[in-house]
Amino acid sequence: MAADPLPNEHLSPLATLVDEVLAGVGYEMAAATDAINDAVPGYGGLFDPETTSDELRAALETLLESGLARPPTAEATGDGFVLYVDGSSRGNPGPAGAGAVIMDAAENQLARLGRPVGSRAGNNTAEYVALQLGLSELLARYEPAQLEVRIDSMTVIRDVWGGEDPTEPGVETYSEAVATALLRFPDHRYTHLADSDPNPADALATVGADIAAFGPG
């Protein structure tokens, strides 16, 4: 059975199934998309326009019934980590996705995570989900002592590190989970990313938004 997915906003049944597959592989986007593509009959795949909703749903249900395994945890150099996070929303609100990249202190990539957030969610909600996703998986895999979060949302930064009450409606579930997770880090700080700064989590958030845009299925 897949692991329980993290909370999300409203998703279509088809997008929800994809999110359950992602949860089963620890939200490793590449592992999930490879497994789904292999399960779709013929030459179709997750984003192949020739793949029908019925074919994709059948492949997803087969994967969930057969059981999913997390990829092996990559070895980290030490107990310091860097976490890139990003949220993407088309229309703000609109189909939204979250991405997170876990690195060790030497900035070796250890995990590339992503998921859909909701069919009608805002950028800041997606950024909260990305932060929750990255922190949750980092704590599930490692015993971190130091953490630098690299993030571009000043709203989330003010809420999480500035001590302000969340200003985005409906994000309490995520903000409380983030606050609880950060208590487990003896030493954590953030770096604000400018729009021009590279963010490897951006592409993962975009794929998450693509999944969130899936119809009912």
Side-chain angles (χ1 to χ4, degrees):
M1 293 293 293
D4 291 335
L6 294 169
N8 57 46
E9 303 295 299
H10 174 74
L11 292 170
S12 72
L14 195 58
T16 298
L17 286 173
V18 178
D19 194 43
E20 290 175 2
V21 170
L22 281 160
V25 296
Y27 296 97
E28 293 272 6
M29 185 65 79
T33 53
D34 286 348
I36 294 168
N37 291 344
D38 288 344
V40 172
Y43 294 98
L46 180 60
F47 296 115
D48 190 323
E50 299 299 319
T51 301
T52 68
S53 294
D54 287 343
E55 289 173 332
L56 182 54
R57 182 176 61 252
L60 294 167
E61 289 173 346
T62 297
L63 281 174
L64 292 169
E65 289 170 1
S66 63
L68 294 161
R70 286 171 169 253
T73 298
E75 185 174 349
T77 58
D79 57 6
F81 294 87
V82 175
L83 176 64
Y84 280 92
V85 297
D86 196 33
S88 174
S89 173
R90 295 176 187 161
N92 193 30
V101 174
I102 298 172
M103 297 181 174
D104 61 18
E107 301 205 16
N108 301 304
Q109 287 197 12
L110 305 176
R112 293 177 54 81
L113 315 171
R115 65 179 304 221
V117 171
S119 59
R120 190 166 177 77
N123 280 327
N124 288 321
T125 298
E127 197 97 2
Y128 259 116
V129 175
L131 182 53
Q132 181 195 19
L133 170 62
L135 293 174
S136 175
E137 285 300 319
L138 178 54
L139 290 167
R141 301 173 192 217
Y142 303 101
E143 295 182 1
Q146 296 180 319
L147 174 65
E148 177 191 358
V149 177
R150 297 179 182 174
I151 181 172
D152 64 11
S153 172
M154 282 304 303
T155 296
V156 176
I157 288 172
R158 285 194 297 267
D159 293 351
V160 174
W161 285 276
E164 298 184 13
D165 291 333
T167 54
E168 187 84 2
V171 300
E172 290 79 12
T173 298
Y174 311 116
S175 63
E176 290 172 6
V178 165
T180 299
L182 286 174
L183 290 174
R184 295 177 58 186
F185 291 89
D187 179 11
H188 64 82
R189 61 189 175 90
Y190 73 87
T191 295
H192 176 241
L193 298 176
D195 290 342
S196 58
D197 291 330
N199 187 343
D202 175 71
L204 297 160
T206 299
V207 177
D210 290 340
I211 296 167
F214 285 172

